[in-house]
Amino acid sequence: MGEPSADGRFGSFGGRFLPESLVPACQELEAAFRAAWAPDSAFRTRYRALLADYAGRPTPLTDCERLSEELGVRVLLKREDLTHTGSHKINNVIGQGLLTLEMGKSRLVAETGAGQHGVASATAAALFGLECVVYMGEVDTERQELNVFRMKLLGAEVRPVTSGSRTLKDAVNEALRDWVASVETTHYCLGSVMGPHPYPWMVRELQRILGDEAREQCRALLGGADPDVVVACVGGGSNAAGTFAGFVDTQARLVGVEAAGGSAIGRGIPGVLHGMRSYLLQDEWGQILEAHSISAGLDYPGIGPEHSYLADAGRATYEVAGDEEVLAALQLLARTEGIIPALEPAHALAWLVRAARDGTVAAGSTVMLTLSGRGDKDAEQVMAALR
Ligand SMILES: *Cc1c(COP(=O)(O)O)cnc(C)c1O
């Protein structure tokens, strides 16, 4: 996957739909990232060193014998659950934290829904000695008390957002507002491949490490061959974008799996939100609808613009998984492989289980699935759902 157009478009999606006051901040960020991301830059060297020595990369690719036997397809898992903090989000925040230093800024703001990106941002802020403010819908601060506490332990300030529906989309708006008012000192550390240009491109590039590693590891394991199918879950779409970046120029079929109650590609209509044009869940009047999922990390009402482009271009397909099959898939992986996944990647797994059983994925195929995070954070919720 290459660069978007000069105005940040992937086909007819993406762009920079913002009030004039925010455009210079995006332009400054784009220039800083473009310079930092040049091949063989000092930034890249430092980023890679931190991913190795702090975050624990490269993560393994696990060849799942017992699960493969159960499904009749060979399943390889890319183990982002084994990174520091337990998900792929660390790849993004280390990159954006370093970039904050590079731009001579001392403060990070971030939005969070379920709290995972807030915790990741607070982690990077602590690592780099940055002040950190996390905007979180008031409703979410009540639902995710433990993550609020984690952010505070890490030295961040959590600001509950009381506007709108008091959830993630309102937190994004508040973070944008803070950024424009304090852009001299502040970087907005956005959590997925969404928002105005350059974020969808920048965050995909920062997550590309995941897909590049997986491709090398697959080739080493498969005698130079690529997997037949590559699958990842999609909230905003960052772990899927990083994964797809590694395989887009192979013959592999690319599949993104959304939560059934948050399916922007399946049920959405193109529109503009948070500075980008993409598929969005909205009613006939253009009001943004709430997404629903057992997994708080997948309940964003939109999807990153590059996914909208890949869907329309037919290079990737987007499927859905429902709460019940997700819980079943989570238990299946736990019992066959001794790995408790987060609820988000359990969506990817749930689709794979269904697709292997109904023949959508042919018997004997090789499937590379990104296990974006570990399940510890969801244990209480899974316990309640299974009672
Ligand atoms: C946040 C999160 C996601 C969803 O975000 P994407 O940007 O779609 O990757 C998926 N899995 C885990 C474990 C997460 O924490």
Side-chain angles (χ1 to χ4, degrees):
M1 295 177 336
E3 269 194 41
S5 68
D7 60 350
R9 303 274 187 148
F10 301 93
S12 65
F13 299 103
R16 191 181 269 161
F17 294 87
L18 289 172
E20 277 306 312
S21 56
L22 266 169
V23 172
C26 288
Q27 287 169 336
E28 180 202 4
L29 177 62
E30 183 190 347
F33 180 68
R34 198 172 286 285
W37 204 239
D40 304 318
S41 65
F43 177 93
R44 283 214 196 218
T45 306
R46 216 170 147 205
Y47 166 72
R48 283 207 208 93
L50 282 166
L51 288 183
D53 305 333
Y54 183 75
R57 303 206 74 88
T59 58
L61 184 78
T62 301
D63 196 352
C64 296
E65 275 185 36
R66 287 190 4 96
L67 179 64
S68 300
E69 195 169 317
E70 175 81 24
L71 298 182
V73 301
R74 185 174 183 185
V75 184
L76 311 175
L77 294 181
K78 181 58 175 163
R79 300 291 306 280
E80 294 302 291
D81 59 314
L82 294 178
T83 57
H84 174 51
T85 72
S87 90
H88 69 291
K89 287 189 169 72
I90 194 76
N91 306 324
N92 178 34
V93 296
I94 284 186
Q96 291 199 48
L98 261 185
L99 195 60
T100 307
L101 295 183
E102 194 90 1
M103 291 186 290
K105 298 184 177 185
S106 57
R107 182 172 175 268
L108 273 189
V109 295
E111 83 295 342
T112 198
Q116 296 306 118
H117 176 60
V119 172
S121 298
T123 300
L127 175 66
F128 296 117
L130 303 167
E131 190 189 329
C132 183
V133 172
V134 179
Y135 290 92
M136 189 170 187
E138 192 177 41
V139 172
D140 292 327
T141 61
E142 287 157 14
R143 285 195 289 218
Q144 305 287 339
E145 230 186 328
L146 194 57
N147 275 335
V148 171
F149 179 66
R150 284 194 182 102
M151 288 181 249
K152 289 180 178 166
L153 265 185
L154 291 160
E157 181 195 337
V158 179
R159 291 194 188 157
V161 174
T162 54
S163 56
S165 55
R166 296 177 295 144
T167 58
L168 176 58
K169 81 171 162 50
D170 312 292
V172 175
N173 287 331
E174 283 306 315
L176 281 167
R177 219 162 277 156
D178 182 317
W179 188 34
V180 70
S182 59
V183 66
E184 299 274 296
T185 59
T186 300
H187 170 62
Y188 176 17
C189 182
L190 212 156
S192 192
V193 287
M194 44 170 257
H197 180 54
Y199 284 103
W201 167 58
M202 178 175 76
V203 176
R204 179 250 280 164
E205 287 299 293
L206 294 173
Q207 291 292 358
R208 165 187 287 280
I209 181 89
L210 186 180
D212 287 344
E213 277 178 19
R215 176 194 179 123
E216 287 306 304
Q217 290 167 319
C218 282
R219 289 192 169 173
L221 191 71
L222 304 173
D226 297 311
D228 303 302
V229 182
V230 169
V231 53
C233 66
V234 176
S238 68
N239 86 88
T243 302
F244 291 176
F247 293 93
V248 74
D249 58 352
T250 71
Q251 298 296 310
R253 178 170 154 202
L254 307 179
V255 181
V257 183
E258 298 187 277
S263 172
I265 296 278
R267 295 194 291 124
I269 306 167
V272 171
L273 178 68
H274 298 144
M276 65 177 181
R277 180 171 187 273
S278 197
Y279 279 101
L280 305 172
L281 292 178
Q282 52 186 319
D283 67 16
E284 57 185 312
W285 314 110
Q287 293 292 326
I288 298 303
L289 301 172
E290 289 277 300
H292 293 285
S293 165
I294 188 169
S295 163
L298 297 185
D299 61 8
Y300 182 63
I303 185 168
E306 194 169 21
H307 289 294
S308 294
Y309 170 71
L310 290 171
D312 275 11
R315 179 60 190 97
T317 53
Y318 294 82
E319 308 284 347
V320 298
D323 292 354
E324 243 169 74
E325 59 183 342
V326 165
L327 284 167
L330 180 145
Q331 293 172 86
L332 179 66
L333 184 64
R335 288 174 191 179
T336 55
E337 297 293 336
I339 299 169
I340 303 176
L343 281 165
E344 294 91 348
H347 284 70
L349 206 58
W351 172 79
L352 177 59
V353 169
R354 183 166 17 100
R357 291 188 175 148
D358 71 13
T360 305
V361 171
S365 305
T366 300
V367 180
M368 201 306 287
L369 186 148
T370 297
L371 199 75
S372 55
R374 65 176 181 234
D376 308 43
K377 70 180 175 65
D378 299 323
E380 267 196 3
Q381 200 187 345
V382 172
M383 181 168 72
L386 293 176
R387 230 193 310 257

mmCIF file of all heavy atoms in Angstrom, residues 86-89 116 191-193 233-240 297-298 342 344-345 372-374 377, ligand 1:
data_model
loop_
_atom_site.group_PDB
_atom_site.id
_atom_site.type_symbol
_atom_site.label_atom_id
_atom_site.label_comp_id
_atom_site.label_asym_id
_atom_site.label_seq_id
_atom_site.Cartn_x
_atom_site.Cartn_y
_atom_site.Cartn_z
ATOM 1 N N GLY A 86 0.627 -5.422 25.634
ATOM 2 C CA GLY A 86 -0.289 -6.465 25.214
ATOM 3 C C GLY A 86 -1.113 -6.228 23.967
ATOM 4 O O GLY A 86 -2.078 -6.957 23.731
ATOM 5 N N SER A 87 -0.737 -5.250 23.140
ATOM 6 C CA SER A 87 -1.413 -5.130 21.853
ATOM 7 C C SER A 87 -0.543 -4.355 20.873
ATOM 8 O O SER A 87 0.452 -3.730 21.257
ATOM 9 C CB SER A 87 -2.782 -4.445 21.989
ATOM 10 O OG SER A 87 -2.651 -3.041 21.833
ATOM 11 N N HIS A 88 -0.985 -4.372 19.599
ATOM 12 C CA HIS A 88 -0.275 -3.651 18.541
ATOM 13 C C HIS A 88 -0.245 -2.149 18.759
ATOM 14 O O HIS A 88 0.509 -1.447 18.112
ATOM 15 C CB HIS A 88 -0.961 -3.940 17.199
ATOM 16 C CG HIS A 88 -2.324 -3.321 17.110
ATOM 17 N ND1 HIS A 88 -3.393 -3.766 17.877
ATOM 18 C CD2 HIS A 88 -2.799 -2.270 16.405
ATOM 19 C CE1 HIS A 88 -4.446 -3.020 17.617
ATOM 20 N NE2 HIS A 88 -4.121 -2.105 16.728
ATOM 21 N N LYS A 89 -1.075 -1.617 19.659
ATOM 22 C CA LYS A 89 -1.150 -0.162 19.821
ATOM 23 C C LYS A 89 0.196 0.446 20.198
ATOM 24 O O LYS A 89 0.459 1.607 19.905
ATOM 25 C CB LYS A 89 -2.205 0.195 20.870
ATOM 26 C CG LYS A 89 -3.624 0.002 20.370
ATOM 27 C CD LYS A 89 -4.635 0.579 21.344
ATOM 28 C CE LYS A 89 -6.024 0.636 20.737
ATOM 29 N NZ LYS A 89 -6.659 -0.694 20.597
ATOM 30 N N GLN A 116 -7.892 1.593 25.900
ATOM 31 C CA GLN A 116 -6.633 0.951 25.511
ATOM 32 C C GLN A 116 -5.664 1.943 24.854
ATOM 33 O O GLN A 116 -4.475 1.923 25.154
ATOM 34 C CB GLN A 116 -6.888 -0.221 24.557
ATOM 35 C CG GLN A 116 -7.669 -1.363 25.173
ATOM 36 C CD GLN A 116 -7.049 -1.864 26.455
ATOM 37 O OE1 GLN A 116 -7.667 -1.798 27.509
ATOM 38 N NE2 GLN A 116 -5.834 -2.343 26.375
ATOM 39 N N GLY A 191 -5.303 7.406 17.591
ATOM 40 C CA GLY A 191 -5.126 5.997 17.895
ATOM 41 C C GLY A 191 -5.330 4.995 16.783
ATOM 42 O O GLY A 191 -5.108 3.807 16.986
ATOM 43 N N SER A 192 -5.775 5.421 15.599
ATOM 44 C CA SER A 192 -5.968 4.431 14.542
ATOM 45 C C SER A 192 -5.763 5.083 13.174
ATOM 46 O O SER A 192 -5.384 6.252 13.095
ATOM 47 C CB SER A 192 -7.355 3.784 14.657
ATOM 48 O OG SER A 192 -7.434 2.642 13.812
ATOM 49 N N VAL A 193 -6.042 4.315 12.112
ATOM 50 C CA VAL A 193 -5.818 4.815 10.751
ATOM 51 C C VAL A 193 -7.008 5.645 10.282
ATOM 52 O O VAL A 193 -7.611 5.382 9.254
ATOM 53 C CB VAL A 193 -5.554 3.665 9.753
ATOM 54 C CG1 VAL A 193 -4.174 3.078 9.947
ATOM 55 C CG2 VAL A 193 -6.617 2.561 9.898
ATOM 56 N N CYS A 233 -8.876 -8.206 12.575
ATOM 57 C CA CYS A 233 -10.088 -7.505 12.993
ATOM 58 C C CYS A 233 -9.956 -6.019 12.662
ATOM 59 O O CYS A 233 -8.855 -5.493 12.496
ATOM 60 C CB CYS A 233 -10.342 -7.703 14.481
ATOM 61 S SG CYS A 233 -9.096 -6.950 15.552
ATOM 62 N N VAL A 234 -11.103 -5.347 12.571
ATOM 63 C CA VAL A 234 -11.131 -3.933 12.190
ATOM 64 C C VAL A 234 -12.003 -3.131 13.154
ATOM 65 O O VAL A 234 -13.201 -3.384 13.271
ATOM 66 C CB VAL A 234 -11.694 -3.764 10.763
ATOM 67 C CG1 VAL A 234 -11.820 -2.281 10.418
ATOM 68 C CG2 VAL A 234 -10.825 -4.466 9.739
ATOM 69 N N GLY A 235 -11.368 -2.180 13.855
ATOM 70 C CA GLY A 235 -12.129 -1.174 14.602
ATOM 71 C C GLY A 235 -12.022 0.081 13.761
ATOM 72 O O GLY A 235 -12.774 0.310 12.821
ATOM 73 N N GLY A 236 -11.016 0.918 14.057
ATOM 74 C CA GLY A 236 -10.635 1.982 13.119
ATOM 75 C C GLY A 236 -9.887 1.384 11.941
ATOM 76 O O GLY A 236 -9.940 1.875 10.834
ATOM 77 N N GLY A 237 -9.157 0.301 12.240
ATOM 78 C CA GLY A 237 -8.495 -0.448 11.179
ATOM 79 C C GLY A 237 -6.979 -0.423 11.194
ATOM 80 O O GLY A 237 -6.362 -0.765 10.188
ATOM 81 N N SER A 238 -6.342 -0.096 12.331
ATOM 82 C CA SER A 238 -4.879 0.047 12.293
ATOM 83 C C SER A 238 -4.139 -1.284 12.279
ATOM 84 O O SER A 238 -3.152 -1.430 11.551
ATOM 85 C CB SER A 238 -4.377 0.933 13.433
ATOM 86 O OG SER A 238 -4.551 0.335 14.693
ATOM 87 N N ASN A 239 -4.602 -2.271 13.068
ATOM 88 C CA ASN A 239 -3.857 -3.539 13.028
ATOM 89 C C ASN A 239 -4.077 -4.224 11.679
ATOM 90 O O ASN A 239 -3.162 -4.849 11.130
ATOM 91 C CB ASN A 239 -4.152 -4.432 14.243
ATOM 92 C CG ASN A 239 -5.369 -5.316 14.114
ATOM 93 O OD1 ASN A 239 -5.299 -6.429 13.622
ATOM 94 N ND2 ASN A 239 -6.531 -4.817 14.554
ATOM 95 N N ALA A 240 -5.277 -4.066 11.118
ATOM 96 C CA ALA A 240 -5.540 -4.641 9.796
ATOM 97 C C ALA A 240 -4.723 -3.920 8.724
ATOM 98 O O ALA A 240 -4.165 -4.563 7.823
ATOM 99 C CB ALA A 240 -7.032 -4.562 9.472
ATOM 100 N N GLY A 297 -13.359 -2.045 21.950
ATOM 101 C CA GLY A 297 -12.345 -1.573 21.005
ATOM 102 C C GLY A 297 -12.813 -1.571 19.550
ATOM 103 O O GLY A 297 -12.121 -1.054 18.685
ATOM 104 N N LEU A 298 -13.964 -2.154 19.272
ATOM 105 C CA LEU A 298 -14.440 -2.193 17.886
ATOM 106 C C LEU A 298 -15.666 -1.321 17.671
ATOM 107 O O LEU A 298 -16.303 -1.391 16.629
ATOM 108 C CB LEU A 298 -14.761 -3.637 17.467
ATOM 109 C CG LEU A 298 -13.597 -4.625 17.443
ATOM 110 C CD1 LEU A 298 -14.063 -5.961 16.889
ATOM 111 C CD2 LEU A 298 -12.423 -4.099 16.636
ATOM 112 N N ALA A 342 -7.723 -11.163 23.094
ATOM 113 C CA ALA A 342 -8.645 -10.059 23.364
ATOM 114 C C ALA A 342 -9.922 -10.287 22.552
ATOM 115 O O ALA A 342 -9.922 -11.035 21.567
ATOM 116 C CB ALA A 342 -8.001 -8.731 22.971
ATOM 117 N N GLU A 344 -11.333 -8.267 20.539
ATOM 118 C CA GLU A 344 -11.240 -7.722 19.174
ATOM 119 C C GLU A 344 -10.743 -8.790 18.194
ATOM 120 O O GLU A 344 -11.448 -9.108 17.226
ATOM 121 C CB GLU A 344 -10.343 -6.481 19.146
ATOM 122 C CG GLU A 344 -10.891 -5.271 19.908
ATOM 123 C CD GLU A 344 -10.436 -5.230 21.361
ATOM 124 O OE1 GLU A 344 -9.883 -6.248 21.836
ATOM 125 O OE2 GLU A 344 -10.642 -4.198 22.024
ATOM 126 N N PRO A 345 -9.539 -9.358 18.391
ATOM 127 C CA PRO A 345 -9.091 -10.374 17.435
ATOM 128 C C PRO A 345 -9.923 -11.654 17.478
ATOM 129 O O PRO A 345 -9.892 -12.437 16.516
ATOM 130 C CB PRO A 345 -7.633 -10.640 17.827
ATOM 131 C CG PRO A 345 -7.545 -10.236 19.256
ATOM 132 C CD PRO A 345 -8.483 -9.076 19.399
ATOM 133 N N SER A 372 -4.303 -9.360 17.573
ATOM 134 C CA SER A 372 -3.902 -7.984 17.876
ATOM 135 C C SER A 372 -3.651 -7.718 19.353
ATOM 136 O O SER A 372 -2.938 -6.772 19.694
ATOM 137 C CB SER A 372 -4.954 -7.015 17.340
ATOM 138 O OG SER A 372 -6.241 -7.352 17.846
ATOM 139 N N GLY A 373 -4.235 -8.541 20.252
ATOM 140 C CA GLY A 373 -4.011 -8.268 21.674
ATOM 141 C C GLY A 373 -4.413 -9.428 22.561
ATOM 142 O O GLY A 373 -5.119 -10.340 22.139
ATOM 143 N N ARG A 374 -3.960 -9.348 23.807
ATOM 144 C CA ARG A 374 -4.234 -10.436 24.751
ATOM 145 C C ARG A 374 -5.529 -10.175 25.525
ATOM 146 O O ARG A 374 -6.004 -9.040 25.611
ATOM 147 C CB ARG A 374 -3.059 -10.611 25.706
ATOM 148 C CG ARG A 374 -2.821 -9.441 26.604
ATOM 149 C CD ARG A 374 -1.697 -9.704 27.623
ATOM 150 N NE ARG A 374 -1.541 -8.550 28.477
ATOM 151 C CZ ARG A 374 -0.394 -7.905 28.688
ATOM 152 N NH1 ARG A 374 0.708 -8.324 28.121
ATOM 153 N NH2 ARG A 374 -0.354 -6.852 29.488
ATOM 154 N N LYS A 377 -7.453 -8.041 29.626
ATOM 155 C CA LYS A 377 -8.277 -6.844 29.837
ATOM 156 C C LYS A 377 -9.768 -7.156 29.752
ATOM 157 O O LYS A 377 -10.588 -6.413 30.275
ATOM 158 C CB LYS A 377 -7.898 -5.761 28.824
ATOM 159 C CG LYS A 377 -8.310 -6.096 27.393
ATOM 160 C CD LYS A 377 -7.932 -5.001 26.406
ATOM 161 C CE LYS A 377 -8.239 -5.376 24.965
ATOM 162 N NZ LYS A 377 -9.657 -5.557 24.643
HETATM 163 C C1 LIG B 1 -7.759 -1.075 19.850
HETATM 164 C C2 LIG B 1 -7.700 -2.470 19.470
HETATM 165 C C3 LIG B 1 -8.216 -2.924 18.229
HETATM 166 C C4 LIG B 1 -8.949 -2.041 17.262
HETATM 167 O O1 LIG B 1 -8.185 -1.028 16.693
HETATM 168 P P1 LIG B 1 -7.674 -1.076 15.179
HETATM 169 O O2 LIG B 1 -7.226 0.316 14.936
HETATM 170 O O3 LIG B 1 -8.816 -1.481 14.316
HETATM 171 O O4 LIG B 1 -6.559 -2.053 15.128
HETATM 172 C C5 LIG B 1 -8.062 -4.250 17.909
HETATM 173 N N1 LIG B 1 -7.469 -5.114 18.751
HETATM 174 C C6 LIG B 1 -6.981 -4.732 19.946
HETATM 175 C C7 LIG B 1 -6.343 -5.748 20.838
HETATM 176 C C8 LIG B 1 -7.084 -3.400 20.354
HETATM 177 O O5 LIG B 1 -6.605 -3.027 21.540
#
